[in-house]
Amino acid sequence: MSAASTACQAVQLGDWRQLLAVIWDFLSLSLFSLGGGNTLLNEYHHMAVDQYCWLTSRQFADIYAIAEAAPGPSSMIVGLLGMGAAVKEGPLWGVLSGLTAEIAILLPSTLLMVAAAVSWNRLRHSPWRIAFERGLGPITLGILFAVGLKILRISDHDTPAYAVSLVVCVLMLRTKISPLWFMAVAGLMGALGLVNR
């Protein structure tokens, strides 16, 4: 648990004012999700653990694992964060909070992508379009690398866990083995107590 999460009081979403403030945060973040929902993971962690104090880093890592293991978009973590933040107010309020958080993170970026898709072909010869496309690749890769380091820091806390992460990273880069195999083996190692967090 970070020092910030022990020092702050969890923000309750039991009233509409707090819920609307959180929705606004997710709406504003939506337009910065270059390369998918995972690129915002550092900010999700900051909001959930440090700013609003809903979760510990370990709980955040668990929610991230659930969101990644489940079928669907990587932005599913936002719905789980919204639900986890408000479930103390009751299950219906938790579901409402989860749904509104998910809509808030998906709606602005979806509308922007629809608008871009409609006009993108008209700009096919524009130097601005070419520069934009070339510039986004390195930016997105850098953000994803930072997200990977963040997950590594909040998930792995002992030498065997770091070793497993390193081996999986190398194998993912060097082989065509399905990530599902890595998840299954890591889950088995955790169940057997070979790797602890």
Side-chain angles (χ1 to χ4, degrees), residues 29-50:
L29 280 176
S30 175
L31 297 176
F32 294 98
S33 58
L34 301 172
N38 277 342
T39 57
L40 294 174
L41 204 66
N42 283 330
E43 189 58 30
Y44 297 154
H45 181 269
H46 170 72
M47 286 174 59
V49 176
D50 300 322

Side-chain angles (χ1 to χ4, degrees), residues 19-34 36-45 47 67 73-82 96-113:
L19 182 60
L20 289 174
V22 172
I23 290 170
W24 176 252
D25 283 344
F26 284 123
L27 281 170
S28 59
L29 280 176
S30 175
L31 297 176
F32 294 98
S33 58
L34 301 172
N38 277 342
T39 57
L40 294 174
L41 204 66
N42 283 330
E43 189 58 30
Y44 297 154
H45 181 269
M47 286 174 59
S74 60
S75 62
M76 190 184 314
I77 189 172
V78 174
L80 293 174
L81 290 174
L96 175 66
S97 177
L99 284 172
T100 53
E102 194 67 42
I103 290 169
I105 202 69
L106 292 176
L107 187 63
S109 57
T110 301
L111 293 176
L112 181 66
M113 288 310 301

